[in-house]
Amino acid sequence: MRGRARRWRAGVAGLAGVIMLAAVSACGGSATGKQAVAPNIPAQQDIGPSEGRLDLVIWGGYAEDGSTQKSVDWVTPFTRATGCKVYSKVTDTSDSMVALMKTGQYDGVSASGDSSLRLIYGGTVAPVNTSLITQYRDIAGYLKNQPYNSVKGQMYGVPHGYGANMLMYRTDKISPPPTSWSVVWDKNSQAAGHVVDYDSPTYIADAALYLKSHRPDLGITDVYELSDKQFNAAVDLLKQQRPNMNQYWANYLDEMQAFKSADNYAGTAWQVTANLAADAKVPIATTLPVEGGTGWSDTWMVGSKAQHPNCMYKWMNWVITPKVQAQVGQWFGEAPANPKACRYTAKGFCAGYHVGDAAFYQRIAFWKTPVADCGDSRGATCVDYSRWTQAWTQIKG
């Protein structure tokens, strides 16, 4: 679902500005209307000897072994320290991650919030025993026990890295600097005809986020838990926006190129895209508007059928250490989950990504899979992801 062909390094010098297939019945009871129930899978109780191998499903750039760039390597030291040889399957969508993990051939996955609930309710991943994660206490508290990585207080993974979906705009086309997402929704905006949106059904949540502030009568509280009325209002807003669209992007390079050529004036972007545009001397800036924004938080999850669970736990312990977190964050372009990584990052990096800034990230609605169970007194009456997918196809025409 998430076409995350992100650049596999972060432009840390001179940061500019601040930074699924249908949801089946196993993921939210959408087919039966029943409340979602996570399968009773026991968490591992201890870490035994290395099995000598680790099979991962990852976003590109999460398990670098020096083959992409010789100096970028946190896998080889891990193998030397643990005896676990790492084999990675790189994929660029959450749907692919879910499908691969369902095969039972992989020990773990770097899941985003738009796939994690499907993995949990589908019984594809197991609960994580956080007492076995030595530096778990150092992970930012606002990334733990969230709706996208836990169920009833039970963690199903170890937070890894995260980021906001920012508003990026050309400073030579949009003036004064925008403070609201209305620059992409208003048909009379300076950006009209040059708006860019993220190409995913998940973007419906961005419309819901805008309506949450500008249509309080709708009563939206969670942009991923929408009633029919709330969902239809978000879809209508996206359909109204359609004539102003210049681009729907999945590959960040396509978006960056369109900003460079001045075909795009304003829209949703990741901070790493803004870094690249700034490096290319494109007159852009980013901001988190008054309405807040959506965002993503990735979690290392253990396969329920993992053949090498000890190596997976060793990996989770390794990858959240400060030095490794610093390496991954700067290479991939994200805020590390362990704020102690900032001791080892380039000057300005952590400030640019708001690392450890709880107030900033409390303004972010992190992605999670829309399921039928509203998660509140409404019960199983919310619009599930299958309908989000259908609506997105109609919106794009």
Side-chain angles (χ1 to χ4, degrees), residues 7-10 17 25 48 75 104 106 124 155 166 195 241 286 319-320 335 365:
R7 183 167 182 164
W8 297 352
R9 69 165 180 84
S25 58
V75 168
Y106 297 91
T124 309
M155 284 293 293
M166 308 292 287
V195 174
Q241 182 198 44
T286 61
V319 83
I320 64 166

Side-chain angles (χ1 to χ4, degrees), residues 23 30 46 49 52-53 82 91 95 107 116 159 182 186 209 212 225 228 236 296 316 326 334:
S30 60
D46 54 58
R53 181 183 178 108
T82 65
T91 184
D95 286 340
D107 303 305
S116 50
S182 60
D186 188 345
L209 183 76
K212 182 180 178 181
E225 297 175 356
D228 280 299
D236 286 345
W296 49 271
M316 290 188 295
E334 66 183 8

Side-chain angles (χ1 to χ4, degrees), residues 247-263:
Q247 181 187 40
Y248 291 103
W249 68 276
N251 187 316
Y252 78 94
L253 286 176
D254 294 337
E255 180 189 31
M256 197 274 284
Q257 199 59 44
F259 267 101
K260 186 176 181 179
S261 62
D263 291 326

Side-chain angles (χ1 to χ4, degrees), residues 173-309:
K173 302 294 183 180
I174 307 296
S175 181
T179 59
S180 168
W181 284 107
S182 60
V183 71
V184 302
W185 298 113
D186 188 345
K187 64 180 180 181
N188 296 316
S189 160
Q190 296 176 71
H194 300 274
V195 174
V196 55
D197 284 348
Y198 182 54
D199 190 0
S200 168
T202 306
Y203 191 71
I204 294 173
D206 291 71
L209 183 76
Y210 183 74
L211 292 173
K212 182 180 178 181
S213 294
H214 296 267
R215 286 281 310 277
D217 58 295
L218 290 171
I220 296 174
T221 56
D222 188 317
V223 298
Y224 304 100
E225 297 175 356
L226 304 177
S227 66
D228 280 299
K229 181 179 179 180
Q230 295 166 343
F231 179 77
N232 290 335
V235 171
D236 286 345
L237 180 61
L238 283 157
K239 288 180 177 178
Q240 293 168 23
Q241 182 198 44
R242 186 67 179 89
N244 279 344
M245 291 303 303
N246 175 64
Q247 181 187 40
Y248 291 103
W249 68 276
N251 187 316
Y252 78 94
L253 286 176
D254 294 337
E255 180 189 31
M256 197 274 284
Q257 199 59 44
F259 267 101
K260 186 176 181 179
S261 62
D263 291 326
N264 289 342
Y265 288 4
T268 303
W270 297 323
Q271 184 61 44
V272 67
T273 315
N275 294 344
L276 292 172
D279 287 347
K281 308 302 181 184
V282 181
I284 60 90
T286 61
T287 187
L288 185 65
V290 293
E291 299 90 354
T294 58
W296 49 271
S297 178
D298 292 344
T299 305
W300 285 106
M301 295 183 146
V302 182
S304 57
K305 298 179 181 178
Q307 299 300 303
H308 315 104

Side-chain angles (χ1 to χ4, degrees), residues 31-220:
T32 63
K34 295 180 180 179
Q35 189 177 46
V37 178
N40 185 19
I41 300 172
Q44 189 163 326
Q45 295 305 303
D46 54 58
I47 303 176
S50 164
E51 300 95 350
R53 181 183 178 108
L54 178 63
D55 293 288
L56 299 173
V57 176
I58 64 167
W59 298 117
Y62 268 13
E64 290 296 303
D65 61 2
S67 58
T68 305
Q69 184 172 307
K70 189 175 181 179
S71 61
V72 181
D73 183 359
W74 50 90
V75 168
T76 302
F78 167 75
T79 299
R80 288 173 183 158
T82 65
C84 301
K85 187 170 178 58
V86 178
Y87 297 87
S88 301
K89 176 67 174 178
V90 175
T91 184
D92 61 358
T93 70
S94 288
D95 286 340
S96 295
M97 285 190 163
V98 172
L100 288 167
M101 288 301 295
K102 282 184 177 180
T103 67
Q105 299 176 24
Y106 297 91
D107 303 305
V109 58
S110 59
S112 291
D114 54 359
S115 64
S116 50
L117 289 184
R118 286 181 284 167
L119 294 166
I120 293 170
Y121 288 119
T124 309
V125 295
V128 165
N129 185 347
T130 57
S131 68
L132 300 179
I133 308 301
T134 306
Q135 299 189 44
Y136 186 74
R137 65 185 178 278
D138 293 334
I139 293 175
Y142 52 86
L143 300 176
K144 302 175 182 177
N145 297 312
Q146 295 300 312
Y148 52 82
N149 61 20
S150 69
V151 174
K152 295 181 178 179
Q154 172 61 61
M155 284 293 293
Y156 276 79
V158 176
H160 172 76
Y162 57 102
N165 295 321
M166 308 292 287
L167 170 60
M168 186 161 86
Y169 61 96
R170 281 194 60 120
T171 56
D172 60 339
K173 302 294 183 180
I174 307 296
S175 181
T179 59
S180 168
W181 284 107
S182 60
V183 71
V184 302
W185 298 113
D186 188 345
K187 64 180 180 181
N188 296 316
S189 160
Q190 296 176 71
H194 300 274
V195 174
V196 55
D197 284 348
Y198 182 54
D199 190 0
S200 168
T202 306
Y203 191 71
I204 294 173
D206 291 71
L209 183 76
Y210 183 74
L211 292 173
K212 182 180 178 181
S213 294
H214 296 267
R215 286 281 310 277
D217 58 295
L218 290 171
I220 296 174

